Every structure is written in C-alpha cells, then in structure tokens.
Amino acid sequence: MSYPRYAKIMNHTDPRLYILTDNMPFQKGAEISLSPQQAHYIGNVMRRKPGQNLRVFDGVNGEWLAKIEFVKRSQAVISLSHSLRPQLKTQGLELIFSLLKRDATELVIRMGTELGVTCFRPVISARTNNHKINSDRLMLIAQEASEQCERLDIPNIRPLEPLADLLVHWPSEKNLAVALERQSCEPVVKNIAGLIIGPEGGFSPQEIESFNKHKAIKGFSLGPRILRAETAVCAGLSILNTQYSSCAL
C-alpha cells in the first residue's frame, strides 16, 4: 500500500521511535516523556535539539510528527504535532521456528519483523540446540526493526513451547506451510497463515510424520540447496508473502 501524501511530508532524516503511552489517545499538543534510553538516543546519538522533529508511533494511534521540547542526558519531552498515517495492522504470517543460537535467533526476529511477521512462535523440536530465550532482548530487537522499517506495529513474541504442543492446538482450518529439505512437495497453496522453519539439523523423521498427518500443514521446498535456518526464514517468508499484494507498513 502506498502513501503518496505521507511520502511528500515525511523527512527520512527524522528519528522514528516506538513509544509506550498506555493507550493514551494522541492529540495535537500532547506532551510525552521519553524513556531514558530513548532520550539518550535522541540527544547523544542523534544529537537532536529542542525544536527539531521526530516521528513516533505506539501501535494504536498510527504515526505522528512530534517536536522535541526538552532533551538533556537521560530526559526528553516531546509534543505531538499532527498525524502522518492512520493505524493499520500489518498483514503477514505467524513464524514458527526452532529456537537457534542467540545471534541467529536475533537475526530471525529482525528479518522477520522487516518481512511482516505478525507473531513469532519459537519452539523446541527434536534437534533444537538451544533452550534459553531472552524475551526482553528479542522484544527490543523487534521494536528497533519496526522503527527502522516503518511498520506501524510491533510483532508479538510468544513464550518458548514444544513443537508437538503447538501442533496439537493449531486449528486444522489455518493452513500452515513447512519448509522441508529433500522432500517431494506440492506447490505452495494459497491462504497460508503461518510458516514453520526447523533447526540446523532439520526435522526428525517423527516430526515429518506428524506433519504428514496434520490437516493444516502443507509442505513446500525452498529449492535445491540446503539453507541455514535463518536463511530459510528469509527465503520462506519472501516466497509466501506474495499472497499479500498490499501490506500495511
């Protein structure tokens, strides 16, 4: 979806921040205090001064132009000027992925956010080699990625759970695509609600058997090469996202 008016009035050099406002309605002139981390970013990293602009969004009120009223060290106050874009929900997939090592998992969150993932669902599969997750850090990465890619919401990140439990509760009417290596797969079907990506070692024979028995799961191939898990996430989302001809940023 394009926003010609927005493209004309926005300034790509203006910092863009996600702010928590407890669902406070945005209105012209309203003042908001930034977090200490955001104040440091605005004042010390971006070297912004009072009177300069930035763009803000909260996942509820759309995107607004704001003006810096005060900034010093770890404190900053901004005032809202006017709306730039109305709130729109990102149209995309849920991503079920076997938890990877820390750096790879963080890359999956960043790339997935940019590619429109609405909900990340990390799982433990038979060959998962990491069982620890730092939810706060992953949420921060998703927030930063949303700020960078200009989407208007932050994807949800669910708690870690066993893959088998997720499949038991996954509705049969919601098509779920799974990327399979060295398998003879049908072409990708339409109306896919989610994507499953396995660990570096691939899925176990028992897991593949459970996929074949699940009414919602549709296997597909990412091509003749064996991809790293984080590369498979990017490739799979790129293929399946073609079903969304227009997406909210």
Side-chain angles (χ1 to χ4, degrees), residues 17-19 21 24 26-27 29-35 38-39 42 49 51-57 64-71 75-81:
L17 296 179
Y18 172 75
I19 55 177
T21 59
M24 176 193 79
F26 280 11
Q27 57 186 0
E31 293 192 347
I32 299 172
S33 296
L34 301 182
S35 70
Q38 290 176 325
I42 291 296
K49 306 294 183 183
Q52 292 186 297
N53 292 332
L54 68 157
R55 294 175 287 152
V56 297
F57 68 106
W64 280 62
L65 187 70
K67 183 176 68 173
I68 301 171
E69 298 291 346
F70 170 84
V71 58
Q75 294 180 314
V77 175
I78 63 174
S79 63
L80 299 178
S81 298

PDB file of all heavy atoms in Angstrom, residues 17-19 21 24 26-27 29-35 38-39 42 49 51-57 64-71 75-81:
ATOM      1  N   LEU A  17      10.558   6.650  16.551  1.00  0.00           N
ATOM      2  CA  LEU A  17      10.558   5.927  17.815  1.00  0.00           C
ATOM      3  C   LEU A  17       9.211   5.270  18.084  1.00  0.00           C
ATOM      4  O   LEU A  17       8.154   5.842  17.794  1.00  0.00           O
ATOM      5  CB  LEU A  17      10.874   6.870  18.981  1.00  0.00           C
ATOM      6  CG  LEU A  17      12.256   7.528  19.025  1.00  0.00           C
ATOM      7  CD1 LEU A  17      12.340   8.433  20.245  1.00  0.00           C
ATOM      8  CD2 LEU A  17      13.358   6.483  19.049  1.00  0.00           C
ATOM      9  N   TYR A  18       9.286   4.089  18.672  1.00  0.00           N
ATOM     10  CA  TYR A  18       8.101   3.434  19.222  1.00  0.00           C
ATOM     11  C   TYR A  18       7.997   3.841  20.686  1.00  0.00           C
ATOM     12  O   TYR A  18       8.966   3.720  21.442  1.00  0.00           O
ATOM     13  CB  TYR A  18       8.224   1.919  19.113  1.00  0.00           C
ATOM     14  CG  TYR A  18       7.128   1.169  19.830  1.00  0.00           C
ATOM     15  CD1 TYR A  18       5.845   1.095  19.300  1.00  0.00           C
ATOM     16  CD2 TYR A  18       7.393   0.522  21.036  1.00  0.00           C
ATOM     17  CE1 TYR A  18       4.844   0.404  19.950  1.00  0.00           C
ATOM     18  CE2 TYR A  18       6.390  -0.181  21.693  1.00  0.00           C
ATOM     19  CZ  TYR A  18       5.122  -0.237  21.152  1.00  0.00           C
ATOM     20  OH  TYR A  18       4.133  -0.918  21.805  1.00  0.00           O
ATOM     21  N   ILE A  19       6.852   4.348  21.081  1.00  0.00           N
ATOM     22  CA  ILE A  19       6.706   4.821  22.449  1.00  0.00           C
ATOM     23  C   ILE A  19       5.536   4.124  23.135  1.00  0.00           C
ATOM     24  O   ILE A  19       4.528   3.790  22.500  1.00  0.00           O
ATOM     25  CB  ILE A  19       6.495   6.353  22.506  1.00  0.00           C
ATOM     26  CG1 ILE A  19       5.310   6.780  21.648  1.00  0.00           C
ATOM     27  CG2 ILE A  19       7.748   7.083  22.057  1.00  0.00           C
ATOM     28  CD1 ILE A  19       5.017   8.259  21.714  1.00  0.00           C
ATOM     29  N   THR A  21       2.547   4.433  25.685  1.00  0.00           N
ATOM     30  CA  THR A  21       1.712   5.511  26.228  1.00  0.00           C
ATOM     31  C   THR A  21       0.507   4.986  26.991  1.00  0.00           C
ATOM     32  O   THR A  21      -0.393   5.756  27.328  1.00  0.00           O
ATOM     33  CB  THR A  21       1.215   6.414  25.091  1.00  0.00           C
ATOM     34  OG1 THR A  21       0.463   5.613  24.160  1.00  0.00           O
ATOM     35  CG2 THR A  21       2.367   7.073  24.367  1.00  0.00           C
ATOM     36  N   MET A  24      -2.871   5.904  25.526  1.00  0.00           N
ATOM     37  CA  MET A  24      -3.317   7.294  25.586  1.00  0.00           C
ATOM     38  C   MET A  24      -3.651   7.790  24.186  1.00  0.00           C
ATOM     39  O   MET A  24      -2.836   7.633  23.267  1.00  0.00           O
ATOM     40  CB  MET A  24      -2.213   8.166  26.182  1.00  0.00           C
ATOM     41  CG  MET A  24      -2.543   9.654  26.210  1.00  0.00           C
ATOM     42  SD  MET A  24      -1.079  10.669  26.564  1.00  0.00           S
ATOM     43  CE  MET A  24      -0.282  10.669  24.942  1.00  0.00           C
ATOM     44  N   PHE A  26      -3.665   9.959  21.029  1.00  0.00           N
ATOM     45  CA  PHE A  26      -2.782  11.012  20.539  1.00  0.00           C
ATOM     46  C   PHE A  26      -3.623  12.222  20.147  1.00  0.00           C
ATOM     47  O   PHE A  26      -4.664  12.080  19.501  1.00  0.00           O
ATOM     48  CB  PHE A  26      -2.001  10.526  19.321  1.00  0.00           C
ATOM     49  CG  PHE A  26      -0.808   9.671  19.662  1.00  0.00           C
ATOM     50  CD1 PHE A  26      -0.597   9.190  20.938  1.00  0.00           C
ATOM     51  CD2 PHE A  26       0.123   9.354  18.680  1.00  0.00           C
ATOM     52  CE1 PHE A  26       0.499   8.400  21.245  1.00  0.00           C
ATOM     53  CE2 PHE A  26       1.223   8.573  18.965  1.00  0.00           C
ATOM     54  CZ  PHE A  26       1.414   8.091  20.255  1.00  0.00           C
ATOM     55  N   GLN A  27      -3.164  13.396  20.508  1.00  0.00           N
ATOM     56  CA  GLN A  27      -3.812  14.628  20.091  1.00  0.00           C
ATOM     57  C   GLN A  27      -2.776  15.743  20.001  1.00  0.00           C
ATOM     58  O   GLN A  27      -1.743  15.702  20.676  1.00  0.00           O
ATOM     59  CB  GLN A  27      -4.924  15.019  21.049  1.00  0.00           C
ATOM     60  CG  GLN A  27      -4.507  15.186  22.493  1.00  0.00           C
ATOM     61  CD  GLN A  27      -5.688  15.433  23.416  1.00  0.00           C
ATOM     62  OE1 GLN A  27      -6.835  15.478  22.970  1.00  0.00           O
ATOM     63  NE2 GLN A  27      -5.427  15.595  24.693  1.00  0.00           N
ATOM     64  N   GLY A  29      -0.518  18.735  20.481  1.00  0.00           N
ATOM     65  CA  GLY A  29      -0.068  19.454  21.662  1.00  0.00           C
ATOM     66  C   GLY A  29       0.205  18.583  22.868  1.00  0.00           C
ATOM     67  O   GLY A  29       0.791  19.057  23.857  1.00  0.00           O
ATOM     68  N   ALA A  30      -0.204  17.313  22.836  1.00  0.00           N
ATOM     69  CA  ALA A  30       0.032  16.428  23.978  1.00  0.00           C
ATOM     70  C   ALA A  30       1.530  16.221  24.170  1.00  0.00           C
ATOM     71  O   ALA A  30       2.278  16.022  23.204  1.00  0.00           O
ATOM     72  CB  ALA A  30      -0.661  15.090  23.753  1.00  0.00           C
ATOM     73  N   GLU A  31       1.982  16.281  25.420  1.00  0.00           N
ATOM     74  CA  GLU A  31       3.392  16.103  25.733  1.00  0.00           C
ATOM     75  C   GLU A  31       3.643  14.701  26.285  1.00  0.00           C
ATOM     76  O   GLU A  31       2.848  14.183  27.076  1.00  0.00           O
ATOM     77  CB  GLU A  31       3.859  17.160  26.734  1.00  0.00           C
ATOM     78  CG  GLU A  31       3.856  18.562  26.162  1.00  0.00           C
ATOM     79  CD  GLU A  31       4.593  19.553  27.050  1.00  0.00           C
ATOM     80  OE1 GLU A  31       4.890  19.208  28.216  1.00  0.00           O
ATOM     81  OE2 GLU A  31       4.882  20.675  26.568  1.00  0.00           O
ATOM     82  N   ILE A  32       4.749  14.104  25.843  1.00  0.00           N
ATOM     83  CA  ILE A  32       5.108  12.735  26.228  1.00  0.00           C
ATOM     84  C   ILE A  32       6.563  12.719  26.654  1.00  0.00           C
ATOM     85  O   ILE A  32       7.430  13.276  25.966  1.00  0.00           O
ATOM     86  CB  ILE A  32       4.897  11.764  25.048  1.00  0.00           C
ATOM     87  CG1 ILE A  32       3.423  11.759  24.615  1.00  0.00           C
ATOM     88  CG2 ILE A  32       5.345  10.358  25.422  1.00  0.00           C
ATOM     89  CD1 ILE A  32       3.178  10.984  23.336  1.00  0.00           C
ATOM     90  N   SER A  33       6.838  12.098  27.788  1.00  0.00           N
ATOM     91  CA  SER A  33       8.214  11.918  28.246  1.00  0.00           C
ATOM     92  C   SER A  33       8.779  10.635  27.653  1.00  0.00           C
ATOM     93  O   SER A  33       8.141   9.577  27.730  1.00  0.00           O
ATOM     94  CB  SER A  33       8.261  11.841  29.777  1.00  0.00           C
ATOM     95  OG  SER A  33       7.839  13.064  30.361  1.00  0.00           O
ATOM     96  N   LEU A  34       9.955  10.719  27.056  1.00  0.00           N
ATOM     97  CA  LEU A  34      10.604   9.544  26.503  1.00  0.00           C
ATOM     98  C   LEU A  34      11.296   8.766  27.605  1.00  0.00           C
ATOM     99  O   LEU A  34      11.579   9.281  28.688  1.00  0.00           O
ATOM    100  CB  LEU A  34      11.617   9.953  25.434  1.00  0.00           C
ATOM    101  CG  LEU A  34      11.077  10.733  24.230  1.00  0.00           C
ATOM    102  CD1 LEU A  34      12.200  11.005  23.242  1.00  0.00           C
ATOM    103  CD2 LEU A  34       9.938   9.983  23.552  1.00  0.00           C
ATOM    104  N   SER A  35      11.588   7.491  27.332  1.00  0.00           N
ATOM    105  CA  SER A  35      12.340   6.681  28.276  1.00  0.00           C
ATOM    106  C   SER A  35      13.775   7.196  28.341  1.00  0.00           C
ATOM    107  O   SER A  35      14.248   7.881  27.415  1.00  0.00           O
ATOM    108  CB  SER A  35      12.333   5.223  27.844  1.00  0.00           C
ATOM    109  OG  SER A  35      13.118   5.051  26.670  1.00  0.00           O
ATOM    110  N   GLN A  38      15.666   6.206  25.226  1.00  0.00           N
ATOM    111  CA  GLN A  38      15.291   6.971  24.040  1.00  0.00           C
ATOM    112  C   GLN A  38      15.806   8.402  24.126  1.00  0.00           C
ATOM    113  O   GLN A  38      16.228   8.974  23.115  1.00  0.00           O
ATOM    114  CB  GLN A  38      13.776   6.954  23.872  1.00  0.00           C
ATOM    115  CG  GLN A  38      13.225   5.598  23.465  1.00  0.00           C
ATOM    116  CD  GLN A  38      11.719   5.580  23.403  1.00  0.00           C
ATOM    117  OE1 GLN A  38      11.042   6.245  24.189  1.00  0.00           O
ATOM    118  NE2 GLN A  38      11.163   4.805  22.477  1.00  0.00           N
ATOM    119  N   ALA A  39      15.793   8.979  25.316  1.00  0.00           N
ATOM    120  CA  ALA A  39      16.333  10.324  25.486  1.00  0.00           C
ATOM    121  C   ALA A  39      17.822  10.349  25.162  1.00  0.00           C
ATOM    122  O   ALA A  39      18.316  11.282  24.509  1.00  0.00           O
ATOM    123  CB  ALA A  39      16.095  10.803  26.918  1.00  0.00           C
ATOM    124  N   ILE A  42      18.157  10.081  21.329  1.00  0.00           N
ATOM    125  CA  ILE A  42      17.810  11.324  20.635  1.00  0.00           C
ATOM    126  C   ILE A  42      18.866  12.403  20.862  1.00  0.00           C
ATOM    127  O   ILE A  42      19.322  13.078  19.930  1.00  0.00           O
ATOM    128  CB  ILE A  42      16.424  11.827  21.087  1.00  0.00           C
ATOM    129  CG1 ILE A  42      15.326  10.896  20.573  1.00  0.00           C
ATOM    130  CG2 ILE A  42      16.179  13.260  20.614  1.00  0.00           C
ATOM    131  CD1 ILE A  42      15.210  10.861  19.075  1.00  0.00           C
ATOM    132  N   LYS A  49      18.170  18.532  18.922  1.00  0.00           N
ATOM    133  CA  LYS A  49      17.998  19.659  19.825  1.00  0.00           C
ATOM    134  C   LYS A  49      16.517  20.014  19.968  1.00  0.00           C
ATOM    135  O   LYS A  49      15.697  19.636  19.118  1.00  0.00           O
ATOM    136  CB  LYS A  49      18.756  20.882  19.295  1.00  0.00           C
ATOM    137  CG  LYS A  49      20.235  20.638  18.999  1.00  0.00           C
ATOM    138  CD  LYS A  49      21.021  20.339  20.263  1.00  0.00           C
ATOM    139  CE  LYS A  49      22.510  20.162  19.943  1.00  0.00           C
ATOM    140  NZ  LYS A  49      23.278  19.792  21.170  1.00  0.00           N
ATOM    141  N   GLY A  51      13.136  21.773  19.467  1.00  0.00           N
ATOM    142  CA  GLY A  51      12.611  22.409  18.262  1.00  0.00           C
ATOM    143  C   GLY A  51      12.700  21.528  17.033  1.00  0.00           C
ATOM    144  O   GLY A  51      12.011  21.796  16.042  1.00  0.00           O
ATOM    145  N   GLN A  52      13.539  20.485  17.087  1.00  0.00           N
ATOM    146  CA  GLN A  52      13.645  19.590  15.935  1.00  0.00           C
ATOM    147  C   GLN A  52      12.581  18.499  16.007  1.00  0.00           C
ATOM    148  O   GLN A  52      12.003  18.231  17.056  1.00  0.00           O
ATOM    149  CB  GLN A  52      15.051  18.979  15.868  1.00  0.00           C
ATOM    150  CG  GLN A  52      16.139  20.002  15.545  1.00  0.00           C
ATOM    151  CD  GLN A  52      17.486  19.350  15.332  1.00  0.00           C
ATOM    152  OE1 GLN A  52      18.046  18.731  16.237  1.00  0.00           O
ATOM    153  NE2 GLN A  52      18.029  19.498  14.126  1.00  0.00           N
ATOM    154  N   ASN A  53      12.339  17.861  14.863  1.00  0.00           N
ATOM    155  CA  ASN A  53      11.243  16.906  14.741  1.00  0.00           C
ATOM    156  C   ASN A  53      11.702  15.462  14.879  1.00  0.00           C
ATOM    157  O   ASN A  53      12.879  15.128  14.684  1.00  0.00           O
ATOM    158  CB  ASN A  53      10.550  17.075  13.384  1.00  0.00           C
ATOM    159  CG  ASN A  53       9.809  18.382  13.255  1.00  0.00           C
ATOM    160  OD1 ASN A  53       9.352  18.947  14.250  1.00  0.00           O
ATOM    161  ND2 ASN A  53       9.683  18.877  12.030  1.00  0.00           N
ATOM    162  N   LEU A  54      10.751  14.609  15.184  1.00  0.00           N
ATOM    163  CA  LEU A  54      10.921  13.167  15.107  1.00  0.00           C
ATOM    164  C   LEU A  54       9.553  12.572  14.820  1.00  0.00           C
ATOM    165  O   LEU A  54       8.526  13.262  14.883  1.00  0.00           O
ATOM    166  CB  LEU A  54      11.503  12.584  16.399  1.00  0.00           C
ATOM    167  CG  LEU A  54      10.640  12.606  17.673  1.00  0.00           C
ATOM    168  CD1 LEU A  54      11.121  11.529  18.630  1.00  0.00           C
ATOM    169  CD2 LEU A  54      10.740  13.964  18.351  1.00  0.00           C
ATOM    170  N   ARG A  55       9.530  11.301  14.474  1.00  0.00           N
ATOM    171  CA  ARG A  55       8.278  10.608  14.202  1.00  0.00           C
ATOM    172  C   ARG A  55       8.070   9.553  15.280  1.00  0.00           C
ATOM    173  O   ARG A  55       9.019   8.880  15.674  1.00  0.00           O
ATOM    174  CB  ARG A  55       8.307   9.959  12.820  1.00  0.00           C
ATOM    175  CG  ARG A  55       8.360  10.957  11.670  1.00  0.00           C
ATOM    176  CD  ARG A  55       8.511  10.257  10.328  1.00  0.00           C
ATOM    177  NE  ARG A  55       9.860   9.722  10.150  1.00  0.00           N
ATOM    178  CZ  ARG A  55      10.158   8.675   9.401  1.00  0.00           C
ATOM    179  NH1 ARG A  55       9.197   7.994   8.811  1.00  0.00           N
ATOM    180  NH2 ARG A  55      11.402   8.277   9.261  1.00  0.00           N
ATOM    181  N   VAL A  56       6.831   9.398  15.732  1.00  0.00           N
ATOM    182  CA  VAL A  56       6.548   8.445  16.801  1.00  0.00           C
ATOM    183  C   VAL A  56       5.321   7.612  16.439  1.00  0.00           C
ATOM    184  O   VAL A  56       4.442   8.047  15.696  1.00  0.00           O
ATOM    185  CB  VAL A  56       6.314   9.154  18.153  1.00  0.00           C
ATOM    186  CG1 VAL A  56       7.571   9.890  18.584  1.00  0.00           C
ATOM    187  CG2 VAL A  56       5.131  10.114  18.081  1.00  0.00           C
ATOM    188  N   PHE A  57       5.291   6.388  16.975  1.00  0.00           N
ATOM    189  CA  PHE A  57       4.126   5.511  16.820  1.00  0.00           C
ATOM    190  C   PHE A  57       4.041   4.628  18.052  1.00  0.00           C
ATOM    191  O   PHE A  57       5.037   4.396  18.748  1.00  0.00           O
ATOM    192  CB  PHE A  57       4.229   4.678  15.539  1.00  0.00           C
ATOM    193  CG  PHE A  57       5.320   3.638  15.557  1.00  0.00           C
ATOM    194  CD1 PHE A  57       5.007   2.285  15.701  1.00  0.00           C
ATOM    195  CD2 PHE A  57       6.661   3.989  15.438  1.00  0.00           C
ATOM    196  CE1 PHE A  57       6.003   1.322  15.720  1.00  0.00           C
ATOM    197  CE2 PHE A  57       7.666   3.035  15.444  1.00  0.00           C
ATOM    198  CZ  PHE A  57       7.335   1.692  15.589  1.00  0.00           C
ATOM    199  N   TRP A  64       2.775   9.764  14.148  1.00  0.00           N
ATOM    200  CA  TRP A  64       2.624  11.207  14.329  1.00  0.00           C
ATOM    201  C   TRP A  64       3.973  11.899  14.214  1.00  0.00           C
ATOM    202  O   TRP A  64       5.021  11.330  14.551  1.00  0.00           O
ATOM    203  CB  TRP A  64       2.037  11.514  15.702  1.00  0.00           C
ATOM    204  CG  TRP A  64       0.550  11.348  15.774  1.00  0.00           C
ATOM    205  CD1 TRP A  64      -0.155  10.191  15.576  1.00  0.00           C
ATOM    206  CD2 TRP A  64      -0.408  12.358  16.068  1.00  0.00           C
ATOM    207  NE1 TRP A  64      -1.488  10.421  15.736  1.00  0.00           N
ATOM    208  CE2 TRP A  64      -1.685  11.746  16.040  1.00  0.00           C
ATOM    209  CE3 TRP A  64      -0.307  13.714  16.364  1.00  0.00           C
ATOM    210  CZ2 TRP A  64      -2.854  12.445  16.285  1.00  0.00           C
ATOM    211  CZ3 TRP A  64      -1.480  14.424  16.620  1.00  0.00           C
ATOM    212  CH2 TRP A  64      -2.739  13.796  16.566  1.00  0.00           C
ATOM    213  N   LEU A  65       3.909  13.140  13.730  1.00  0.00           N
ATOM    214  CA  LEU A  65       5.068  14.014  13.786  1.00  0.00           C
ATOM    215  C   LEU A  65       5.089  14.655  15.170  1.00  0.00           C
ATOM    216  O   LEU A  65       4.056  15.058  15.690  1.00  0.00           O
ATOM    217  CB  LEU A  65       4.986  15.090  12.712  1.00  0.00           C
ATOM    218  CG  LEU A  65       6.242  15.972  12.557  1.00  0.00           C
ATOM    219  CD1 LEU A  65       7.377  15.165  11.964  1.00  0.00           C
ATOM    220  CD2 LEU A  65       5.933  17.183  11.686  1.00  0.00           C
ATOM    221  N   ALA A  66       6.274  14.717  15.763  1.00  0.00           N
ATOM    222  CA  ALA A  66       6.405  15.309  17.098  1.00  0.00           C
ATOM    223  C   ALA A  66       7.593  16.258  17.109  1.00  0.00           C
ATOM    224  O   ALA A  66       8.489  16.171  16.267  1.00  0.00           O
ATOM    225  CB  ALA A  66       6.581  14.220  18.153  1.00  0.00           C
ATOM    226  N   LYS A  67       7.596  17.157  18.079  1.00  0.00           N
ATOM    227  CA  LYS A  67       8.679  18.132  18.235  1.00  0.00           C
ATOM    228  C   LYS A  67       9.351  17.931  19.590  1.00  0.00           C
ATOM    229  O   LYS A  67       8.685  17.684  20.596  1.00  0.00           O
ATOM    230  CB  LYS A  67       8.134  19.556  18.129  1.00  0.00           C
ATOM    231  CG  LYS A  67       9.209  20.640  18.207  1.00  0.00           C
ATOM    232  CD  LYS A  67       8.610  22.030  17.995  1.00  0.00           C
ATOM    233  CE  LYS A  67       7.707  22.427  19.138  1.00  0.00           C
ATOM    234  NZ  LYS A  67       7.246  23.838  19.038  1.00  0.00           N
ATOM    235  N   ILE A  68      10.656  18.026  19.601  1.00  0.00           N
ATOM    236  CA  ILE A  68      11.401  17.918  20.850  1.00  0.00           C
ATOM    237  C   ILE A  68      11.260  19.219  21.632  1.00  0.00           C
ATOM    238  O   ILE A  68      11.618  20.295  21.141  1.00  0.00           O
ATOM    239  CB  ILE A  68      12.880  17.626  20.578  1.00  0.00           C
ATOM    240  CG1 ILE A  68      13.035  16.316  19.799  1.00  0.00           C
ATOM    241  CG2 ILE A  68      13.675  17.559  21.888  1.00  0.00           C
ATOM    242  CD1 ILE A  68      14.443  16.051  19.297  1.00  0.00           C
ATOM    243  N   GLU A  69      10.726  19.108  22.832  1.00  0.00           N
ATOM    244  CA  GLU A  69      10.572  20.280  23.696  1.00  0.00           C
ATOM    245  C   GLU A  69      11.764  20.435  24.642  1.00  0.00           C
ATOM    246  O   GLU A  69      12.186  21.554  24.945  1.00  0.00           O
ATOM    247  CB  GLU A  69       9.274  20.156  24.512  1.00  0.00           C
ATOM    248  CG  GLU A  69       8.010  20.098  23.680  1.00  0.00           C
ATOM    249  CD  GLU A  69       7.704  21.420  22.994  1.00  0.00           C
ATOM    250  OE1 GLU A  69       8.301  22.449  23.364  1.00  0.00           O
ATOM    251  OE2 GLU A  69       6.860  21.417  22.064  1.00  0.00           O
ATOM    252  N   PHE A  70      12.272  19.298  25.107  1.00  0.00           N
ATOM    253  CA  PHE A  70      13.368  19.329  26.075  1.00  0.00           C
ATOM    254  C   PHE A  70      14.154  18.040  25.936  1.00  0.00           C
ATOM    255  O   PHE A  70      13.584  16.962  25.796  1.00  0.00           O
ATOM    256  CB  PHE A  70      12.816  19.453  27.504  1.00  0.00           C
ATOM    257  CG  PHE A  70      13.847  19.245  28.582  1.00  0.00           C
ATOM    258  CD1 PHE A  70      14.659  20.290  28.984  1.00  0.00           C
ATOM    259  CD2 PHE A  70      14.003  18.004  29.181  1.00  0.00           C
ATOM    260  CE1 PHE A  70      15.617  20.092  29.980  1.00  0.00           C
ATOM    261  CE2 PHE A  70      14.950  17.800  30.180  1.00  0.00           C
ATOM    262  CZ  PHE A  70      15.761  18.848  30.574  1.00  0.00           C
ATOM    263  N   VAL A  71      15.472  18.144  25.949  1.00  0.00           N
ATOM    264  CA  VAL A  71      16.309  16.948  25.940  1.00  0.00           C
ATOM    265  C   VAL A  71      17.610  17.255  26.673  1.00  0.00           C
ATOM    266  O   VAL A  71      18.274  18.255  26.403  1.00  0.00           O
ATOM    267  CB  VAL A  71      16.586  16.453  24.501  1.00  0.00           C
ATOM    268  CG1 VAL A  71      17.253  17.527  23.643  1.00  0.00           C
ATOM    269  CG2 VAL A  71      17.421  15.187  24.520  1.00  0.00           C
ATOM    270  N   GLN A  75      16.854  12.485  29.878  1.00  0.00           N
ATOM    271  CA  GLN A  75      15.494  13.005  29.935  1.00  0.00           C
ATOM    272  C   GLN A  75      15.157  13.723  28.627  1.00  0.00           C
ATOM    273  O   GLN A  75      15.996  14.429  28.066  1.00  0.00           O
ATOM    274  CB  GLN A  75      15.325  13.978  31.103  1.00  0.00           C
ATOM    275  CG  GLN A  75      15.464  13.334  32.477  1.00  0.00           C
ATOM    276  CD  GLN A  75      15.275  14.343  33.596  1.00  0.00           C
ATOM    277  OE1 GLN A  75      15.821  15.438  33.567  1.00  0.00           O
ATOM    278  NE2 GLN A  75      14.478  13.975  34.591  1.00  0.00           N
ATOM    279  N   ALA A  76      13.921  13.529  28.196  1.00  0.00           N
ATOM    280  CA  ALA A  76      13.447  14.222  26.999  1.00  0.00           C
ATOM    281  C   ALA A  76      11.931  14.274  27.022  1.00  0.00           C
ATOM    282  O   ALA A  76      11.268  13.326  27.460  1.00  0.00           O
ATOM    283  CB  ALA A  76      13.932  13.529  25.730  1.00  0.00           C
ATOM    284  N   VAL A  77      11.403  15.394  26.557  1.00  0.00           N
ATOM    285  CA  VAL A  77       9.958  15.579  26.440  1.00  0.00           C
ATOM    286  C   VAL A  77       9.662  16.007  25.013  1.00  0.00           C
ATOM    287  O   VAL A  77      10.346  16.879  24.460  1.00  0.00           O
ATOM    288  CB  VAL A  77       9.443  16.639  27.430  1.00  0.00           C
ATOM    289  CG1 VAL A  77       7.949  16.895  27.209  1.00  0.00           C
ATOM    290  CG2 VAL A  77       9.696  16.192  28.867  1.00  0.00           C
ATOM    291  N   ILE A  78       8.650  15.387  24.419  1.00  0.00           N
ATOM    292  CA  ILE A  78       8.235  15.734  23.063  1.00  0.00           C
ATOM    293  C   ILE A  78       6.776  16.172  23.090  1.00  0.00           C
ATOM    294  O   ILE A  78       6.019  15.818  24.005  1.00  0.00           O
ATOM    295  CB  ILE A  78       8.407  14.567  22.086  1.00  0.00           C
ATOM    296  CG1 ILE A  78       7.499  13.391  22.499  1.00  0.00           C
ATOM    297  CG2 ILE A  78       9.866  14.121  22.024  1.00  0.00           C
ATOM    298  CD1 ILE A  78       7.479  12.242  21.507  1.00  0.00           C
ATOM    299  N   SER A  79       6.372  16.930  22.087  1.00  0.00           N
ATOM    300  CA  SER A  79       4.962  17.301  21.936  1.00  0.00           C
ATOM    301  C   SER A  79       4.486  16.851  20.555  1.00  0.00           C
ATOM    302  O   SER A  79       5.213  16.963  19.564  1.00  0.00           O
ATOM    303  CB  SER A  79       4.761  18.804  22.101  1.00  0.00           C
ATOM    304  OG  SER A  79       5.456  19.521  21.090  1.00  0.00           O
ATOM    305  N   LEU A  80       3.276  16.332  20.504  1.00  0.00           N
ATOM    306  CA  LEU A  80       2.718  15.828  19.259  1.00  0.00           C
ATOM    307  C   LEU A  80       2.244  16.979  18.378  1.00  0.00           C
ATOM    308  O   LEU A  80       1.603  17.916  18.859  1.00  0.00           O
ATOM    309  CB  LEU A  80       1.554  14.882  19.542  1.00  0.00           C
ATOM    310  CG  LEU A  80       1.900  13.626  20.354  1.00  0.00           C
ATOM    311  CD1 LEU A  80       0.638  12.804  20.599  1.00  0.00           C
ATOM    312  CD2 LEU A  80       2.965  12.798  19.661  1.00  0.00           C
ATOM    313  N   SER A  81       2.565  16.900  17.079  1.00  0.00           N
ATOM    314  CA  SER A  81       2.173  17.958  16.137  1.00  0.00           C
ATOM    315  C   SER A  81       0.945  17.566  15.332  1.00  0.00           C
ATOM    316  O   SER A  81      -0.106  18.182  15.437  1.00  0.00           O
ATOM    317  CB  SER A  81       3.339  18.286  15.202  1.00  0.00           C
ATOM    318  OG  SER A  81       4.449  18.774  15.932  1.00  0.00           O
TER     319      SER A  81
END
